[in-house]
Amino acid sequence: MTEALKTEEMTLNLGPQHPSTHGVLRVILKLDGEVITSADPDMGYLHRGIEKLAEARDYTQIIVLTDRMDYVSSMLNNFAYCLAVEKLSGPQAKPPERAEYIRVLVAELQRIASHLLFFGTYGIDIGALTPFLYAFREREMILDLFEMVCGARLTVSYFRIGGVYNDLPPGFLEKVQDFCGWMKGRFPEYQDLLSDNVIFKDRTKNIGILNKEKAIAFGVSGPNLRATGFKYDIRKNEPYSVYDKLEFDVPVGTTGDCWDRYHVRFEEMRQSVKITEQCIEKLRALPTGPGTTLAKMPKILKPPAGDAYGHVESSRGDLGFYLVSDGTEIPHRMKTRRPSFVNLGILPELLKGWKVADVIAILGSIDIVLGEVDC
Amino acid sequence: MNASQIAEKIRERFPRAEEIRRADNLPAETLSVRVAAAEILDVCRFLRFELKFDYLSFVTAVDWKGQVGDESFTHDDPWALAGVKTQPAGEAEAGPMPIAKRGQAAPGLYHDVFEMVYHLYSYETGAKLFLKTEISRENPQVDSVATLWPTANWHERETYDFFGIKFLGHPDLRRILLPWEWDKEEGKWPLRKDYIHKRDIYD
């Protein structure tokens, strides 16, 4: 007579120190054998209290704080914040046209840099260690361009309320043009390295399928939402800055699995190169001089009492800042609507029923940055 | 559907709802509607199912008590802690690190409430809406909308974490970003304006 095999649910800690959690994220997994029954993310290891700090700094000082939220795409964080403050301050803060095109140029370069980092690190998560080195070779070029324009590689603080800090240095547009040409040649290379790789496809196709209704209900935005087949991009549907004057496509996926989320980001890099080239053309034609990169703003900015919400299509999704002003130089409340935080909310739903090895593939495909999750 | 039509529809169903206008009485850039805290769940159900606001962007709270005091922040000067003298000879006192000076606020703004703010968007109609409601600062609580929009689950946890507002009917209300150990002490709601920071192991 055989005895029944006694099974017990096991709790596994995907601890804060882990090379593939993209930062300090702890996920408390409950397993039945190797199948996940529940997942509970425990965040806050990188919480720095940015929303509280913003209540003690004036509007320009907060730009420095916003850089450090999603430290992989700091130009886009600056962009969202400056849009919100400009909405709060009124029409006097509208950036001049040259400043708008510079903003879009560096924002799209930042998007390429962020997606390159995703490309490289997602490969590493799956086990492919080589594409990372190629991706970072291109990322180095972008970071060098950022250093040329504002002096910093990662936490740039380049945007100001009403424009950008300074105009582009001489020789910059030629270098960006060279970079765009080089980058276009890299896409077939990356396709060979990772997208067409059989092992990569096995580990990501039909894994972690997210459908459109669940994605909308959970507030998922950005490439994760577009991978489900829903074509929504804030740059197209609620255009801000000069995106309505630029031509680009919005890639969408079909099934909402990990491979689609990867592929949407891959194609977005192509579109960002297209936007960058259009901006270069425009910037060559626009006049330079004093007053073309920063609107005339008072030295101490005191927006009228009220509230405003400014959001952009960041590389991770819908990044927004909700600012409440009480008429002083310091905001009364700054709420950061962070896409990585909201997108991570789908993880408990998405992981049910998959195996432990798939946890890394699914978590990597959501593309979170812990600086933004924790704020 | 534009902003005034939405405001009309809401006022039809909930006569006590009011549209918040700017100081110069022009319509705000994004429609803002204030409702009573008791009807917030009904209003949200109406917005979700009948006006098709399917995307909840964020849920947050604003503390309108007053200006935040200095005791809310740690003022350790990292240079002084390391024993490095940085005050120039003329400085009178080596006080806490000065942060930006705060001027006089607009009159009549501060009152003893928490203002809940919900930002809604409709993918179908493209309409945007700020839904606001005021709750008292003593024993703050409001209905949870997590059953209507699953994304509200984490947003409400974050608001509870920072302000101490209880969400009635929330499936799993506990702290999300701050340490779970903070629940053992009283009054650890950092984003409140009267929060007093006590030195802890993180300082």
Side-chain angles (χ1 to χ4, degrees), chain A residues 220-261:
Chain A
V220 171
S221 53
N224 296 324
L225 180 62
R226 290 196 279 282
T228 65
F230 185 52
K231 192 166 188 165
Y232 187 83
D233 187 326
I234 300 175
R235 297 173 293 170
K236 281 274 189 207
N237 296 68
E238 296 175 71
Y240 51 94
S241 187
V242 287
Y243 278 105
D244 44 3
K245 303 199 185 86
L246 297 166
E247 275 185 37
F248 58 101
D249 296 317
V250 173
V252 281
T254 42
T255 49
D257 58 9
C258 292
W259 197 88
D260 269 339
R261 290 193 275 277

Side-chain angles (χ1 to χ4, degrees), chain B residues 32-48:
Chain B
S32 258
V33 174
R34 182 174 290 131
V35 295
E39 7 179 71
I40 191 79
L41 193 53
D42 293 323
V43 174
C44 285
R45 203 172 286 129
F46 173 67
L47 291 171
R48 166 79 178 85

Side-chain angles (χ1 to χ4, degrees), chain A residues 130-312:
Chain A
T130 315
F132 174 78
L133 303 166
Y134 287 79
F136 268 62
R137 178 189 58 189
E138 270 70 70
R139 201 176 130 84
E140 277 303 301
M141 294 181 184
I142 300 181
L143 296 181
D144 281 343
L145 290 170
F146 285 163
E147 197 180 9
M148 247 181 109
V149 83
C150 68
R153 283 157 52 99
L154 202 68
T155 51
V156 286
S157 304
Y158 179 46
F159 288 45
R160 293 290 180 273
I161 321 286
V164 289
Y165 176 50
N166 58 1
D167 205 338
L168 305 170
F172 181 76
L173 288 173
E174 285 72 41
K175 278 219 159 98
V176 181
Q177 186 100 60
D178 286 342
F179 169 75
C180 288
W182 170 253
M183 192 71 208
K184 285 199 277 216
R186 296 311 103 220
F187 292 122
E189 211 174 85
Y190 294 162
Q191 194 107 18
D192 269 340
L193 273 175
L194 206 54
S195 308
D196 291 342
N197 185 317
V198 166
I199 305 176
F200 184 75
K201 281 194 194 167
D202 257 346
R203 284 209 55 190
T204 52
K205 278 225 187 252
N206 295 319
I207 305 283
I209 298 183
L210 176 65
N211 66 10
K212 172 185 136 191
E213 287 72 33
K214 219 178 217 181
I216 295 181
F218 277 86
V220 171
S221 53
N224 296 324
L225 180 62
R226 290 196 279 282
T228 65
F230 185 52
K231 192 166 188 165
Y232 187 83
D233 187 326
I234 300 175
R235 297 173 293 170
K236 281 274 189 207
N237 296 68
E238 296 175 71
Y240 51 94
S241 187
V242 287
Y243 278 105
D244 44 3
K245 303 199 185 86
L246 297 166
E247 275 185 37
F248 58 101
D249 296 317
V250 173
V252 281
T254 42
T255 49
D257 58 9
C258 292
W259 197 88
D260 269 339
R261 290 193 275 277
Y262 156 84
H263 190 67
V264 163
R265 291 188 178 95
F266 187 86
E267 291 299 319
E268 275 189 10
M269 281 200 275
R270 250 191 256 266
Q271 297 304 317
S272 287
V273 171
K274 203 165 149 187
I275 300 177
T276 313
E277 292 185 317
Q278 292 170 49
C279 286
I280 298 176
E281 286 308 311
K282 261 302 199 171
L283 282 168
R284 285 216 171 102
L286 283 171
T288 61
T292 53
T293 50
L294 194 57
K296 237 181 154 12
M297 300 284 290
K299 271 229 160 66
I300 311 273
L301 176 62
K302 282 202 196 149
D307 59 353
Y309 180 63
H311 65 153
V312 300

Side-chain angles (χ1 to χ4, degrees), chain A residues 56 232 307 318 326 332-333, chain B residues 55 60-61 63 99 110 132 193:
Chain A
Y232 187 83
D307 59 353
D318 178 0
D326 52 4
H332 185 77
R333 168 92 168 103
Chain B
Y55 177 46
T60 191
D63 185 355
I99 306 178
Y110 296 143
K132 299 187 182 174
K193 298 293 179 186

Side-chain angles (χ1 to χ4, degrees), chain A residues 62 71-72 79-80 86 102 109 114 181 200-201 209 248 263 286-287 320 349 367:
Chain A
I62 297 175
Y71 37 77
V72 165
F79 205 164
E86 283 154 17
I102 296 178
L109 281 177
S114 170
F200 184 75
K201 281 194 194 167
I209 298 183
F248 58 101
H263 190 67
L286 283 171
E349 282 292 313
D367 193 17

